[in-house]
């Protein structure tokens, strides 16, 4: 996600760091890391949001390891994180391909 934000936003380093921190903190808030009831509210009202939130995928993976006997839900979260990583890399790749360099 850091590579994607860095390649998409053309600002200084401090602004990019602020954007990344705010995205991460908002994702952690929605995944229930600052109050467990928020995770259930989001799951009840907007379940797709927790399916695309990487912080929610990580916490759900840890919860599934602790509570469930099978590893199906855990592997679903791992595959979802791999897909999220691939999407972020594709976004950053397409953004970096459009840049023009003075030396070329």
């Amino acid at each position: 996600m850091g590579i994607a934000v860095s390649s998409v936003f053309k600002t200084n380093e401090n602004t990019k760091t602020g954007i990344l921190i705010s995205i991460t903190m908002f994702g952690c808030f929605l995944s229930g890391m600052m109050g467990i009831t928020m995770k259930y509210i989001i799951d009840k009202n907007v379940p797709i949001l927790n399916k695309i939130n990487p912080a929610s995928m990580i916490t759900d993976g840890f919860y599934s390891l602790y509570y469930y006997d099978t590893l199906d839900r855990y592997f679903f979260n791992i595959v979802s994180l791999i897909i999220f990583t691939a999407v972020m890399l594709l976004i950053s790749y397409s953004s970096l391909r459009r840049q023009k360099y003075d030396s070329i």
Side-chain angles (χ1 to χ4, degrees), residues 1 27 31 49-59 81 84:
M1 187 165 47
S31 70
L49 195 58
N50 273 344
K51 298 292 184 196
I52 61 172
N53 182 2
S56 180
M57 290 182 228
I58 293 170
T59 56
L81 281 170
F84 180 78

Side-chain angles (χ1 to χ4, degrees), residues 14-49:
N14 292 331
T15 306
K16 291 176 187 178
T17 302
I19 291 169
L20 276 172
I21 288 173
S22 63
I23 290 171
T24 305
M25 293 304 286
F26 186 66
C28 290
F29 172 72
L30 293 179
S31 70
M33 296 179 101
M34 298 173 195
I36 192 66
T37 56
M38 183 53 69
K39 180 175 179 64
Y40 298 117
I41 291 171
I42 297 297
D43 272 339
K44 189 172 116 178
N45 296 325
V46 191
I48 191 70
L49 195 58

Side-chain angles (χ1 to χ4, degrees), residues 51-94:
K51 298 292 184 196
I52 61 172
N53 182 2
S56 180
M57 290 182 228
I58 293 170
T59 56
D60 192 46
F62 284 133
Y63 284 142
S64 65
L65 282 177
Y66 184 74
Y67 288 114
Y68 299 118
D69 293 333
T70 64
L71 296 176
D72 296 336
R73 190 166 177 174
Y74 173 73
F75 285 127
F76 175 76
N77 286 313
I78 295 298
V79 169
S80 298
L81 281 170
I82 291 170
I83 291 170
F84 180 78
T85 303
V87 168
M88 289 293 120
L89 285 174
L90 284 173
I91 290 171
S92 62
Y93 177 74
S94 66

